[in-house]
Amino acid sequence: ASLTLADGREHVSGFYMAGEVMGLDGVADGRHASSATALEDTEVCAIQYSHLMELVAGSSGMQQAVHRLMSREIVRENGLMMLLGSMNAEERLAAFLMNLSQRLKARGYSASDFHLRMSRAEIGSYLGMSLETVSRTFSAFEQQQLLKVDKRHICIIDPEGLTRIFEMRLR
């Protein structure tokens, strides 16, 4: 998902995976501030907010599920703000990779060996870093033997080491 800034530049605001909900930004005023671009073959299930509210009205279980979804989105946004506001480049990229790893694992994929669907420029936009900084940080992680990089293919060799990079900041 991305937002178009006032000066016309695009800012990547999220990378969504199967089973994740997007488009909650349209609830507040009935208009979406962001747009979405599929990075691979994708299936989308679009649900009009008015229809969702009709379903929710008849089921307390459904109300709880919708509230959990919205809460998770708030938590994700807060996490991103912390990531961008308080971490250096290595901490940002390490946190991003470990988050991606955990999300892939939760869907039954390898947590340590995966293909990035997004470009380094898109990662940089999301993390508030230049393309050059993203590339240099990937190289630094490879030199530290935390991961192996082959274009968009990532193999995390030392997940504990990668996690330590940003966990020290969180304490």
Side-chain angles (χ1 to χ4, degrees), residues 14-22 37-45 69 72 99-100 102-109 117-118:
F15 297 105
Y16 293 90
M17 292 185 180
E20 294 179 340
V21 175
M22 59 184 298
T37 303
L39 300 177
E40 60 187 347
D41 289 346
T42 302
E43 289 186 37
V44 176
C45 178
L69 286 171
R72 267 185 280 211
N99 174 269
L100 186 60
Q102 291 165 357
R103 291 164 60 205
L104 288 166
K105 182 179 179 180
R107 285 159 180 76
Y109 298 107
R117 302 295 181 203
M118 67 289 292

Side-chain angles (χ1 to χ4, degrees), residues 1-5 7-16 22 25 33-39 73 76-77 80-81 83-84 92 96 103 117-129 134:
S2 64
L3 299 166
T4 302
L5 305 176
D7 63 5
R9 291 179 296 141
E10 276 198 29
H11 171 72
V12 175
S13 57
F15 297 105
Y16 293 90
M22 59 184 298
D25 63 327
S34 61
S35 61
T37 303
L39 300 177
E73 184 64 15
R76 187 190 73 77
E77 287 289 330
L80 177 60
M81 291 302 104
L83 188 71
L84 295 176
R92 290 177 191 192
F96 171 77
R103 291 164 60 205
R117 302 295 181 203
M118 67 289 292
S119 69
R120 285 179 178 38
E122 290 165 332
I123 293 170
S125 174
Y126 179 66
L127 297 176
M129 297 164 45
V134 172

Side-chain angles (χ1 to χ4, degrees), residues 86-154:
S86 67
M87 294 182 169
N88 65 34
E90 283 195 352
E91 292 166 335
R92 290 177 191 192
L93 187 58
F96 171 77
L97 290 170
M98 291 312 297
N99 174 269
L100 186 60
S101 169
Q102 291 165 357
R103 291 164 60 205
L104 288 166
K105 182 179 179 180
R107 285 159 180 76
Y109 298 107
S110 173
S112 61
D113 193 13
F114 51 87
H115 185 80
L116 294 173
R117 302 295 181 203
M118 67 289 292
S119 69
R120 285 179 178 38
E122 290 165 332
I123 293 170
S125 174
Y126 179 66
L127 297 176
M129 297 164 45
S130 70
L131 168 62
E132 294 79 12
T133 302
V134 172
S135 294
R136 274 195 310 270
T137 307
F138 269 115
S139 294
F141 287 168
E142 197 165 26
Q143 288 175 347
Q144 296 167 42
Q145 297 185 335
L146 298 170
L147 47 86
K148 286 184 183 177
V149 180
D150 181 16
K151 296 182 178 109
R152 290 190 183 194
H153 188 86
I154 303 295

Side-chain angles (χ1 to χ4, degrees), residues 30-88:
R31 190 173 93 64
H32 295 283
S34 61
S35 61
T37 303
L39 300 177
E40 60 187 347
D41 289 346
T42 302
E43 289 186 37
V44 176
C45 178
I47 302 172
Q48 283 188 333
Y49 186 68
S50 59
H51 292 134
L52 181 61
M53 289 300 95
E54 288 174 19
L55 290 170
V56 166
S59 168
S60 64
M62 186 71 140
Q63 284 177 353
Q64 289 175 347
V66 169
H67 289 154
R68 274 194 302 276
L69 286 171
M70 290 181 168
S71 177
R72 267 185 280 211
E73 184 64 15
I74 292 167
V75 168
R76 187 190 73 77
E77 287 289 330
N78 287 343
L80 177 60
M81 291 302 104
M82 184 189 73
L83 188 71
L84 295 176
S86 67
M87 294 182 169
N88 65 34

